[in-house]
Amino acid sequence: MSTTRKHTALPKAQILIEALPWLVRHNGKTVVIKFGGNAMIDEELKAAFAQDVVFLHHAGLKPVVVHGGGPQISAALDQHGIVSEFKAGLRVTTEDAMDVVRMVLAGQVQRELVGLLNQHGPLAVGLTGEDAHTITATKHQPEIDGELVDIGRVGEITAIDTGAIEALLADGRIPVVSSIARSQDDGHVYNVNADTAAAALAAALGAETLMVLTDVEGLYEDWPNSDEVISRLTASELERLLPDLSSGMVPKMEGCLHAVRGGVTTARVIDGRVQHSILLEIFTDEGIGTMVVPDEKPEGPGEQGES
């Protein structure tokens, strides 16, 4: 009996000990997590995501969650008889569509996520970029074939005010931010890309890490010829790869680039289809996914002794 118990307990102890240096390194640090992809739709993945975020909180980190809601928005627009149209990889957002976007993000996706987190205690507080001027934007007009195109209420972030988020973190709460922005100049609200919003918040908060959940294992070395994932690369290496990336990965990897160039220590794209991928990435030696590091630290944090 005792031998059996020893054998089953020992691997658990080893796993906990492996996490120790990472717990020490990340203690008190802010981590911004962009919630999206399959993890947003699958019930088990949603529950595991909430557990991971609460675990980070209790392990002494300060998680901030940012979310969009592409699939949910598309479904709601269908129900309202509004056609979903995309240009330059961005959703064309009419006045009517914006009302639906706002309703879905702040009233449905955010509420569900706050509810899942708060099953573990009075932790999560939901807000949108409109609250306390957290995210300010101006109208974004992408260039297609040399022409500026009007895609409606899609915003380009011009300012971040972290006051409300920092107050919540100081109070021991977990902020959950919907990617809607107030307007800088015309009194409207804007739909902003959630990857971009998460990166901008991470930089403004001076976060240790930005984590972006995706539906792929990471950034592939030579897709579609190979499914070998690049485990780490510098900002400059990433910049060279950007023109050849698939449209879905561009805002995620541009976000990672913006974050590390803005002072975030590491930015990571991780596979949200793997349960507890966040814990695996932060607290294990191997990690999963692709990590982007600043150019001035090619060896990565801690690997040559931190100055």
Side-chain angles (χ1 to χ4, degrees):
M1 169 71 184
S2 60
T3 314
T4 313
R5 210 160 70 199
K6 192 165 71 180
H7 284 313
T8 55
L10 196 57
K12 291 176 186 169
Q14 285 166 337
I15 288 163
L16 290 169
I17 290 302
E18 187 184 324
L20 180 60
W22 305 103
L23 282 164
V24 172
R25 179 173 299 166
H26 295 303
N27 192 47
K29 301 284 173 55
T30 300
V31 51
V32 175
I33 306 164
K34 191 277 179 153
F35 181 57
N38 236 18
M40 263 186 135
I41 303 160
D42 180 284
E43 296 304 321
E44 284 184 8
L45 289 172
K46 267 194 280 202
F49 174 82
Q51 287 173 331
D52 284 8
V53 172
V54 172
F55 187 98
L56 295 184
H57 169 80
H58 285 299
L61 286 83
K62 296 176 177 175
V64 176
V65 180
V66 180
H67 72 89
Q72 295 91 334
I73 290 168
S74 294
L77 289 172
D78 281 351
Q79 284 174 353
H80 286 78
I82 300 170
V83 177
S84 288
E85 188 188 351
F86 290 84
K87 288 182 183 175
L90 296 165
R91 184 186 298 278
V92 177
T93 309
T94 61
E95 198 99 2
D96 290 345
M98 188 63 223
D99 289 340
V100 174
V101 167
R102 201 180 190 187
M103 179 180 73
V104 170
L105 292 181
Q108 179 187 330
V109 180
Q110 183 203 90
R111 291 296 93 209
E112 185 178 17
L113 193 45
V114 166
L116 284 168
L117 290 165
N118 285 344
Q119 285 176 6
H120 305 279
L123 298 169
V125 178
L127 63 155
T128 80
E130 298 169 74
D131 293 311
H133 293 189
T134 299
I135 305 174
T136 301
T138 191
K139 189 182 183 74
H140 174 60
Q141 290 190 292
E143 196 174 299
I144 304 174
D145 301 329
E147 298 277 316
L148 288 179
V149 179
D150 188 347
I151 52 171
R153 296 277 201 85
V154 175
E156 194 167 309
I157 297 171
T158 55
I160 298 281
D161 184 331
T162 58
I165 291 175
E166 286 177 354
L168 288 168
L169 292 174
D171 193 34
R173 310 294 179 184
I174 301 172
V176 178
V177 187
S178 304
S179 59
I180 307 163
R182 68 183 279 270
S183 167
Q184 175 181 293
D185 38 34
D186 61 12
H188 291 312
V189 293
Y190 282 105
N191 183 14
V192 293
N193 180 287
D195 298 313
T196 311
L201 279 169
L205 285 162
E208 170 77 3
T209 298
L210 166 69
M211 305 184 85
V212 181
L213 268 66
T214 64
D215 284 342
V216 292
E217 293 168 78
L219 192 59
Y220 294 113
E221 190 89 49
D222 183 23
W223 186 259
N225 307 317
S226 155
D227 61 359
E228 194 68 31
V229 171
I230 303 169
S231 61
R232 68 182 289 127
L233 73 171
T234 65
S236 292
E237 288 168 341
L238 172 57
E239 199 163 29
R240 285 196 291 274
L241 290 176
L242 275 175
D244 300 320
L245 297 183
S246 67
S247 61
M249 281 303 269
V250 169
K252 298 180 195 318
M253 298 317 300
E254 280 181 343
C256 289
L257 186 62
H258 174 81
V260 295
R261 289 255 161 96
V264 177
T265 312
T266 62
R268 306 142 189 257
V269 171
I270 60 171
D271 193 344
R273 301 167 303 176
V274 177
Q275 278 202 23
H276 304 301
S277 54
I278 292 170
L279 297 189
L280 290 169
E281 181 63 30
I282 285 198
F283 294 127
T284 67
D285 295 339
E286 292 84 26
I288 58 169
T290 297
M291 180 162 76
V292 183
V293 296
D295 294 320
E296 61 273 21
K297 286 188 187 174
E299 295 297 321
E303 289 182 20
Q304 282 199 325
E306 289 174 311
S307 54

